[in-house]
Amino acid sequence: MQATKRHLFFAVTLIIALLLAACTPQSQTPAPTSAPAPTSAPAPTSAPAPTTAPTGGVVSATPGLDINMILLPKFLGIAVFDQAYEGAKEAHAELGNKGNLIFTGPTAENSVAGQIETLTNAATQGVKAVMLSNNAGDQIAAAAQAAQAAGVKVVTWDSPIPSAQGESVFVAQVDFNETGRVMADMALSILGPQGGEFAILSASPDAANQNAWIASMKQVLAEPKYANLKLVDTVYGNDQSEESYNQALALVDKYPNLKLIMAPTTVGIAAAAKAMTDEGLCDKVKVSGLGLPSEMASYTLSGCAPQFALWSFKDLGYLTYYLAYGLATGQLQGVEGERFNAGRMGSYTIEKDPTRPNGLRVLMGPFTVYTAENVNK
Ligand code: RAM
């Protein structure tokens, strides 16, 4: 009798799940972020979701399960990671996960060791998924592999594990090769065809995302169109405001003809813009890169940082949570071609990461390029 009831229950649950799946939008294009569309050059690059729809269904994860999940940023105290946590919390509530969503991270000074430690301890703390923005390059791969072996899914977001070892899937905010082009286009647009000297102010030397973006920018710079843009140096402010501020000033001292600082980090770009503003250098040295509108608006309106780009970190946290929940509950296997629903963002496909030899990714997008016209919208 009990068994019959259980069968009936499962059958009804299955039918409801199938009906829900049928009603869910199947679009391959991620919903646009709330950020406004760019209103002036350079044109935004589109980072569309994969267009080849693999056969098979779209997995809509059964809500209400009970798993503990960790959202692990590079370190605590960066605004965009708090935004990602907001998105993850939204998904956590939507999915009715009875377990805990833990937002934890190391300090900036202890980022590499701290991230490795959190991964290492995850399994014994009853955690089933760690969502990692990797700040440790491949140094974290062994800990990630050990965590996976102990039953913890490791989903990266924002910054992947370069070798993909120990990583189930990477949620790519945008296509990493596009990032290089977006930055090159902003530099060209700011400096004009006559170009000039510019330098990169990056985050940490182990940050896989920044390193990949810098590499892709260098490739783009080799094209004839960008011949007058002369990259003179790459320095690191470790995603710390004061260090980035000092590095920006040191660049100006070292390169008297410097015309632009390109910072592919929200911390670095805001610090560089503040440094140029404080020193009255904005007429001589412009700032661009990847920035948070709320932190950059005054510098964009003043003309110091005429253009910068970003994506929605809230959406990134939300999408990452949906994927990690599906994997950690065994409803997704984490294989190429698998499709899943991510609530309000629609459906996504796990695909080969074209920017890393052995990785899998889910591509979010799009980029938004901000200028004086849309930075306050
Ligand atoms: C900083 C971090 C983050 C990066 C952004 C653009 O907030 O380095 O990883 O994605 O900049």
Side-chain angles (χ1 to χ4, degrees):
M1 188 60 188
Q2 281 299 10
T4 318
K5 267 192 191 160
R6 247 198 324 266
H7 281 137
L8 190 64
F9 173 75
F10 281 125
V12 171
T13 312
L14 185 67
I15 289 165
I16 293 172
L18 287 172
L19 284 173
L20 281 175
C23 297
T24 314
Q26 308 279 305
S27 153
Q28 278 296 290
T29 311
T33 62
S34 51
T39 50
S40 65
T45 63
S46 56
T51 47
T52 48
T55 52
V58 182
V59 174
S60 293
T62 304
L65 301 179
D66 184 352
I67 52 158
N68 295 326
M69 299 168 63
I70 287 181
L71 185 71
L72 178 57
K74 289 177 170 175
F75 51 85
L76 294 176
I78 297 186
V80 293
F81 295 142
D82 295 340
Q83 295 184 352
Y85 179 43
E86 290 305 310
K89 275 197 289 192
E90 184 189 347
H92 181 73
E94 257 172 39
L95 282 164
N97 183 358
K98 297 195 184 75
N100 295 319
L101 168 62
I102 304 147
F103 181 52
T104 185
T107 58
E109 296 75 18
N110 192 39
S111 180
V112 172
Q115 287 202 314
I116 291 171
E117 191 184 331
T118 301
L119 262 183
T120 304
N121 295 335
T124 52
Q125 290 175 349
V127 169
K128 291 282 177 242
V130 174
M131 298 170 276
L132 165 74
S133 167
N134 179 27
N135 207 24
D138 273 320
Q139 296 167 76
I140 207 162
Q145 280 174 319
Q148 295 268 14
V152 181
K153 293 292 173 201
V154 179
V155 173
T156 54
W157 56 282
D158 180 53
S159 183
I161 299 176
S163 65
Q165 280 172 10
E167 168 198 285
S168 292
V169 181
F170 170 51
V171 184
Q173 52 271 61
V174 287
D175 182 273
F176 272 24
N177 288 337
E178 287 289 325
T179 315
R181 186 165 302 279
V182 166
M183 292 197 294
D185 283 344
M186 290 192 297
L188 196 58
S189 166
I190 291 168
L191 297 182
Q194 74 281 4
E197 289 186 5
F198 80 101
I200 293 175
L201 169 58
S202 189
S204 93
D206 288 322
N209 52 351
Q210 271 91 10
N211 287 346
W213 300 333
I214 293 168
S216 82
M217 186 181 187
K218 284 181 179 165
Q219 272 193 358
V220 174
L221 289 176
E223 296 174 17
K225 183 179 168 191
Y226 306 97
N228 289 337
L229 296 179
K230 186 155 179 275
L231 176 60
V232 292
D233 209 345
T234 300
V235 298
Y236 301 89
N238 290 311
D239 264 350
Q240 301 210 53
S241 294
E242 204 181 318
E243 216 177 320
S244 305
Y245 186 98
N246 292 336
Q247 289 286 357
L249 293 180
L251 281 171
V252 176
D253 279 348
K254 193 166 170 195
Y255 301 99
N257 294 323
L258 197 72
K259 292 215 165 95
L260 174 75
I261 295 174
M262 179 63 65
T265 129
T266 59
V267 179
I269 190 176
K274 181 166 174 21
M276 296 309 109
T277 304
D278 288 352
E279 297 295 316
L281 287 166
C282 290
D283 285 341
K284 195 171 170 294
V285 184
K286 301 289 182 206
V287 175
S288 185
L290 304 175
L292 192 58
S294 59
E295 293 176 347
M296 293 303 295
S298 63
Y299 305 121
T300 299
L301 296 175
S302 75
C304 201
Q307 296 177 10
F308 64 95
L310 206 67
W311 47 85
S312 166
F313 270 85
K314 187 172 184 200
D315 286 354
L316 186 59
Y318 180 90
L319 174 58
T320 301
Y321 187 98
Y322 263 87
L323 174 64
Y325 179 88
L327 289 168
T329 56
Q331 301 179 77
L332 286 172
Q333 301 311 305
V335 294
E336 188 190 353
E338 233 178 346
R339 300 171 69 200
F340 64 99
N341 276 317
R344 63 169 167 80
M345 291 179 71
S347 66
Y348 287 83
T349 304
I350 297 174
E351 61 178 9
K352 276 211 169 88
D353 186 343
T355 70
R356 290 178 303 154
N358 300 310
L360 291 173
R361 79 169 181 189
V362 165
L363 179 58
M364 186 185 81
F367 263 110
T368 298
V369 175
Y370 293 93
T371 65
E373 273 126 62
N374 64 358
V375 74
N376 269 334
K377 281 183 189 151

